[in-house]
Amino acid sequence: MLQVVQAFDRAPIEEIATDDAAALEAKLQAADKVFRDRDSWLKPHERIAILRKLGELLAGKRDHFARQIAREGGKPLADAIIETTRAIDGIHNAADELRNFAGREIPMGLTPAAAGRWAFTTKEPIGVVAAISAFNHPLNLIVHQVAPAIAVGCPVIIKPASTTPLCCRDFIALVHEAGLPEAWCQMFLPETNELAEALATDRRVAFLSFIGSAKVGWYLHSKLAHGARSALEHGGAAPAIVDRSADLDRIIEPLVKGGYYHAGQVCVSTQRIFVHQEIADAFTERLVARVAKLRTGDPTLKETEVGPLILPKEADRVASWIDEAVKGGAKLALGGKRLSETTLEPAVLLDPAADAKVSQLEVFGPLVCVYRYSKLDDAIAQANSLPVAFQGSVFAQDIDVALHAAERLDASAVMVNDPTAFRTDWMPFAGRKESGYGTGGIPYTMRDMTQEKMILLNRR
């Protein structure tokens, strides 16, 4: 049994049963069996109807899921409500995408040898999907892994984070209530990490969707069965460049949201802010004043803006990194105090050393670091200096500066006058270098979970 607790105060919520090796084998056998029986595959209109019904069922339980997210995951209730709304839209997005999800004609007759032939491609489901998810969006990430699989017709076995399994369990129950047979979508909560690896690397798994730590994701990627594909979504240390032309009255709010949303526990959370030295003092003064007003505490309260970290050891780690940076010469402009076992006061560090952990590694906590620069290309070089790269931002009213930075930042997406954490669920979402492999976003995941087959007709 697994004891699930509230992230904020560690109070017990519920005990939930875990799965052993026999349960894993049964789930894999069931998924493999339904996929091999091609006559049992659901037609597109049936999958659309299930997704539509699922969206309706989830909308009817919006408040339940929002509160569940806040309790087990620690996300402030206002943001948890937004997550639930996004999840509902994501389900409909997957259904809508099927209207234009098709193959294409392959031109023939371009050479004498190809004359008299007609060829086209179709899209087929790739096979059994193993999905390993993360705690920080315990409903919406599940939707991003499960809804595309349902849409394209892949059986999926989903492993939620052990800290936040309740949203996944309740969501999968709705999937079955919406009409999808159980073998096509199963939850797996392993009693050991070794069983999670066994799921991901089983020869019957055709596609691994992994959201979590780079160390684990790249390891599993290296162990996949031959022919299996994968999509990995890891973290970063997202940079934002603030040019001297930036409108300070307009940029503080998005930067604070980008840095402290879900206490910084987001893979594209704004972590490193590079500010032109001409406006650095004014910028820092405004930033610190706004961060000081953030309401930190119990995430189930409507007024809370910053909640806890997921585990006490994560709060320990972030606090130790802040202390190390200060000892190395950084100035702690605000915050860093321990408010509870899992909660830290939102912090701002000024000019930490380039080799400090907060400058080199993903903090995944309520902290942003501010660095001064005089030359734009120097700031870009520093922003690009890490082995991780995901999303970045540039804040500027000067369009030449904005485009210069956008073209040169090493990122899969660069937001101009928007925070690094901006995302819609239908846009491409991908880490570069060590930050990931493949492209997320519901339409893109649907493409990854299918394979094309060409059919050729000889008309002679």
Side-chain angles (χ1 to χ4, degrees):
M1 299 294 288
L2 174 68
Q3 178 68 66
V4 184
V5 302
Q6 294 191 148
F8 178 64
D9 58 10
R10 315 300 294 163
I13 302 176
E14 184 179 340
E15 280 195 337
I16 183 171
T18 55
D19 293 309
D20 59 14
L24 172 59
E25 178 59 26
K27 291 173 192 287
L28 283 165
Q29 284 187 13
D32 186 58
K33 181 179 179 180
V34 293
F35 185 71
R36 287 180 179 276
D37 180 9
R38 195 178 183 104
D39 291 337
S40 76
W41 288 9
L42 298 172
K43 301 295 188 293
H45 70 88
E46 294 174 307
R47 288 179 256 135
I48 289 172
I50 288 168
L51 288 167
R52 296 290 187 213
K53 180 63 174 177
L54 176 59
E56 293 174 7
L57 292 172
L58 184 56
K61 288 186 170 288
R62 188 192 313 260
D63 291 343
H64 164 78
F65 278 95
R67 182 165 175 78
Q68 196 85 285
I69 292 166
R71 294 184 72 198
E72 65 176 344
K75 180 177 289 185
L77 186 59
D79 293 325
I81 292 170
I82 293 171
E83 178 177 341
T84 307
T85 301
R86 284 179 58 187
I88 296 164
D89 183 69
I91 293 165
H92 289 295
N93 185 190
D96 292 341
E97 189 68 17
L98 281 175
R99 293 187 177 277
N100 299 296
F101 202 69
R104 63 188 181 93
E105 183 178 355
I106 304 298
M108 289 289 141
L110 303 180
T111 66
R117 291 166 176 82
W118 176 47
F120 59 93
T121 65
T122 62
K123 290 183 180 290
E124 294 185 340
I126 193 171
V128 176
V129 171
I132 298 178
S133 207
F135 78 86
N136 53 340
H137 307 288
L139 175 61
N140 202 38
L141 291 181
I142 300 293
V143 166
H144 271 257
Q145 295 170 297
V146 169
I150 296 172
V152 302
C154 287
V156 56
I157 301 173
I158 177 87
K159 186 202 104 50
S162 60
T163 49
T164 56
L166 301 180
C167 281
C168 181
R169 180 200 62 186
D170 294 351
F171 176 71
I172 299 306
L174 293 186
V175 170
H176 298 151
E177 185 179 343
L180 189 71
E182 184 174 350
W184 286 92
C185 184
Q186 303 172 85
M187 174 173 147
F188 177 57
L189 190 61
E191 58 187 18
T192 67
N193 290 333
E194 289 74 20
L195 286 176
E197 179 179 342
L199 165 65
T201 59
D202 190 274
R203 60 175 176 78
R204 289 162 289 191
V205 168
F207 187 84
L208 170 65
S209 171
F210 180 90
I211 304 173
S213 83
K215 179 180 179 181
V216 176
W218 287 112
Y219 170 78
L220 292 176
H221 178 78
S222 73
K223 298 291 185 179
L224 293 180
H226 292 175
R229 297 183 193 168
S230 69
L232 311 177
E233 185 180 308
H234 305 318
I241 293 176
V242 180
D243 180 57
R244 57 187 161 186
S245 68
D247 184 344
L248 294 183
D249 290 332
R250 297 174 61 184
I251 71 171
I252 298 300
E253 202 62 36
L255 277 166
V256 170
K257 187 66 176 178
Y260 300 96
Y261 167 68
H262 199 8
Q265 297 170 114
V266 182
C267 58
V268 288
S269 178
T270 305
Q271 180 175 321
R272 299 175 295 148
I273 305 177
F274 302 94
V275 185
H276 195 283
Q277 62 184 13
E278 289 186 11
I279 62 167
D281 289 341
F283 171 85
T284 301
E285 181 180 347
R286 295 186 188 208
L287 176 70
V288 170
R290 177 64 185 94
V291 174
K293 293 179 181 178
L294 288 172
R295 297 183 293 272
T296 305
D298 186 343
T300 64
L301 301 178
K302 291 182 179 180
E303 63 269 20
T304 298
E305 296 173 287
V306 179
L309 295 174
I310 191 64
L311 293 168
K313 69 177 183 179
E314 294 301 313
D316 293 340
R317 177 186 57 78
V318 175
S320 72
W321 287 13
I322 292 172
D323 290 342
E324 176 199 72
V326 171
K327 290 176 183 176
K331 178 183 177 182
L332 182 59
L334 179 76
K337 296 177 182 176
R338 196 68 166 260
L339 302 179
S340 78
E341 194 176 3
T342 53
T343 311
L344 292 175
E345 187 180 35
V348 178
L349 276 175
L350 307 181
D351 292 308
D355 61 352
K357 287 187 177 69
V358 297
S359 299
Q360 290 285 318
L361 305 174
E362 182 180 34
V363 173
F364 224 59
L367 167 70
V368 298
C369 302
V370 179
Y371 310 81
R372 294 170 180 252
Y373 74 89
S374 58
K375 296 181 179 179
L376 178 60
D377 285 337
D378 290 343
I380 293 171
Q382 194 173 348
N384 291 344
S385 65
L386 303 184
V388 292
F390 215 133
Q391 297 193 163
S393 289
V394 54
F395 291 84
Q397 293 299 302
D398 185 328
I399 188 64
D400 290 332
V401 169
L403 292 179
H404 182 90
E407 289 174 347
R408 288 161 176 79
L409 279 171
D410 189 0
S412 59
V414 177
M415 315 302 167
V416 178
N417 295 324
D418 251 329
T420 61
F422 178 84
R423 182 184 186 184
T424 64
D425 298 297
W426 57 87
M427 75 186 216
F429 190 71
R432 289 185 174 183
K433 299 193 284 191
E434 293 181 12
S435 289
Y437 183 78
T439 303
I442 284 171
Y444 301 88
T445 300
M446 287 173 63
R447 294 170 202 171
D448 278 352
M449 289 182 178
T450 57
Q451 50 194 351
E452 282 197 328
K453 174 186 285 181
M454 191 188 79
I455 297 174
L456 184 143
L457 300 178
N458 187 337
R459 297 184 296 175
R460 288 180 174 178

